[in-house]
Amino acid sequence: MIRLLVFALFFSLCAPILSAQSDLHKFPVPTAAQLAWHDTEFYLFFHFGPNTFTNLEWGHGTEPEDVFNPTALDCDQWCRIAKQAGAHGVVITAKHHDGFCLWPSKYSGHTVRESKWRDGKGDVLRELSEACKRHGLKLGFYLSPWDRNHPQYGTPEYNDVYVNTLTELLTGYGELFEIWWDGANGEGPNGRKQVYDFHRFEKVAAQLQPKAVIFSDIGPGCRWAGNERGLILTETNWCTLDTAGFQRGLGAPPTDTLNQGNVNGALWIPAECDVSIRPGWFYHPEEDDKVKTPEQLWDIYLKSVGRGANLILNVPPDRRGRIHERDSASLVAFGEKLRKAFDKNLAEGKPCRLGQGRHWFEAGITDENRNTFAEFDVVPEESFFEIDLKKKKKFNTLIIREKIENYGQRVQVFSVKIWEKNKWREIARSTTIGARKILSFPQVKARKLRIAVLAAKAPPVLNEVRVFRI
Ligand code: FUL
């Protein structure tokens, strides 16, 4: 029996039923900041600092400040390319493990201020944050807890230093969408290791930038996806995770758990896939011919964003302080492919009905309006969405979204069928959906298609289906 079918447009009428339903299922759900983060989908990562000039990946922290000397820094160029690539934001290494600060921090003696660059008056973060505003990109900062330069590293005072530098970043450059804490934790200049006061860092971040999502192995905002290839490795990706007993770095959950999440995880901590467009995170001239192709980027996109995660793609600026021509060519071509691929939604505004047994209901999930949605029971073979494309059309890709807002993630298995030669033929089957699923299959030609949920943690709530020929 149909439990409920609601459109948010009639929300006021249905609200009592809706809340009664929702109370039945106390699943973790995203916060407002996490919802906005899910919609940010794809952004660029900039690893930039002394390593760019010394050809290292992990600087020692002893590099003279003068090595940092970009000859033609152009953050507008970075942002233009990010936009053309289809990215919605950028994250930069404000400080990597070598401790060098790309801004003139009051709490360090190892910063742009101590370098010759712009006569010690430069601030990369200022230039980037202003460029982001001009180009309509969101901004995030990577602030490495591990610091191989700071004299107080390895003592309780370093936690104060970290809080102070974090405060500078969170108060000096406008609104941030993400704060990045990597898991590496080695020794500082005195051979000492640090015990980080992450609890305090989290509190400071929540207070100063409540809309920023914190990335780390275990969140709290979003989680590392367990590999640096940018991939959700299987079709399954739960936005929920259990973190009790785990820590960042060596004490993190196993990488396959980070990749798939926990089906009944207690917390909403969705996956972010990180990968570099080159073999290294920092720029190395000898890698100029190892830039990933647009096709490789597309494959990564489908296996990260397409599997409900976010994608952070590293594009390291070179010694001029510009994105290298090879990288930009690849990114621009990828961006074009992305725009073309999802340009024409064949299902837009087409009739979509929810069928269950002999009952049919109109379902507002083809209207490109994320606020309309439909909730239904799982009754294989009897309960499904049917979309009528009105004419036979060729297609090979679907985008499906669950209404994670208020409802969380529920679908465990779903299938897609088309009406062909007077019967329904299954053309694809997959597992989780969550924030989004981009489902590809060999091209078919059909007028009608059905999406049925075969297993779910609770009555599924979908709010969007789009159909494409890519
Ligand atoms: C890791 C770091 O050790 C790498 O240098 C890089 O920044 C990567 C994104 O995160 O933890």
Side-chain angles (χ1 to χ4, degrees), residues 45 47 51 57-58 93 96-97 142 144 146 180-185 215 217 224 228 274-275 281-282 312 314:
F45 210 174
H47 275 67
N51 296 339
E57 277 291 308
W58 280 6
T93 51
H96 201 252
H97 310 326
Y142 172 119
S144 171
W146 183 24
W180 227 86
W181 292 341
D182 62 275
N185 176 10
F215 168 98
D217 291 338
W224 183 46
E228 293 187 334
D274 64 333
V275 63
W281 291 102
F282 283 88
I312 183 165
N314 182 61

Side-chain angles (χ1 to χ4, degrees), residues 9-22:
L9 297 176
F10 307 120
F11 185 81
S12 51
L13 288 175
C14 304
I17 321 175
L18 188 64
S19 46
Q21 285 289 310
S22 307

Side-chain angles (χ1 to χ4, degrees), residues 130-143:
E130 287 171 0
C132 281
K133 282 193 199 105
R134 283 192 286 275
H135 294 270
L137 286 164
K138 298 186 187 183
L139 177 65
F141 290 138
Y142 172 119
L143 185 67

Side-chain angles (χ1 to χ4, degrees), residues 9-278:
L9 297 176
F10 307 120
F11 185 81
S12 51
L13 288 175
C14 304
I17 321 175
L18 188 64
S19 46
Q21 285 289 310
S22 307
D23 282 352
L24 293 176
H25 311 290
K26 289 273 178 228
F27 294 141
V29 294
T31 62
Q34 286 172 318
L35 272 177
W37 175 90
H38 278 291
D39 280 344
T40 311
E41 286 190 359
F42 163 49
Y43 26 94
L44 297 193
F45 210 174
F46 298 131
H47 275 67
F48 191 49
N51 296 339
T52 310
F53 303 87
T54 55
N55 226 16
L56 295 175
E57 277 291 308
W58 280 6
H60 302 289
T62 50
E63 296 77 15
E65 289 82 18
D66 280 345
V67 303
F68 181 81
N69 196 14
T71 49
L73 182 78
D74 186 355
C75 293
D76 277 302
Q77 187 241 12
W78 306 2
C79 290
R80 268 197 309 275
I81 293 168
K83 288 294 276 193
Q84 282 178 276
H88 301 294
V90 304
V91 177
I92 185 168
T93 51
K95 179 185 81 162
H96 201 252
H97 310 326
D98 57 23
F100 184 82
C101 300
L102 293 182
W103 80 105
S105 173
K106 279 194 276 182
Y107 306 97
S108 166
H110 192 50
T111 79
V112 280
R113 187 187 48 232
E114 284 73 36
S115 77
K116 281 206 286 270
W117 177 65
R118 300 228 203 286
D119 292 327
K121 303 218 163 47
D123 180 345
V124 180
L125 306 189
R126 171 89 41 234
E127 294 192 30
L128 181 59
S129 64
E130 287 171 0
C132 281
K133 282 193 199 105
R134 283 192 286 275
H135 294 270
L137 286 164
K138 298 186 187 183
L139 177 65
F141 290 138
Y142 172 119
L143 185 67
S144 171
W146 183 24
D147 191 318
R148 301 177 98 179
N149 171 273
H150 206 284
Q152 282 171 315
Y153 189 85
T155 70
E157 289 72 47
Y158 175 78
N159 285 321
D160 298 332
V161 171
Y162 192 86
V163 164
N164 288 334
T165 49
L166 187 62
T167 303
E168 287 181 321
L169 296 187
L170 302 185
T171 54
Y173 301 94
E175 194 170 290
L176 304 178
F177 86 99
E178 188 166 288
I179 301 163
W180 227 86
W181 292 341
D182 62 275
N185 176 10
E187 288 159 5
N190 307 322
R192 286 186 299 236
K193 279 212 173 189
Q194 179 72 34
V195 180
Y196 302 118
D197 193 350
F198 275 118
H199 189 59
R200 187 172 157 210
F201 305 166
E202 280 176 24
K203 274 200 351 214
V204 171
Q207 207 184 350
L208 298 177
Q209 289 273 352
K211 292 188 184 160
V213 155
I214 296 178
F215 168 98
S216 83
D217 291 338
I218 52 169
C222 63
R223 68 176 194 266
W224 183 46
N227 65 67
E228 293 187 334
R229 289 181 289 140
L231 305 177
I232 297 295
L233 298 166
T234 69
E235 289 281 317
T236 303
N237 174 20
W238 291 100
C239 292
T240 41
L241 189 73
D242 287 318
T243 58
F246 292 111
Q247 286 170 0
R248 298 172 176 91
L250 294 177
T255 51
D256 58 338
T257 303
L258 290 173
N259 201 250
Q260 298 207 355
N262 297 116
V263 52
N264 292 315
L267 301 169
W268 189 271
I269 306 180
E272 178 177 291
C273 296
D274 64 333
V275 63
S276 184
I277 196 165
R278 290 160 171 256

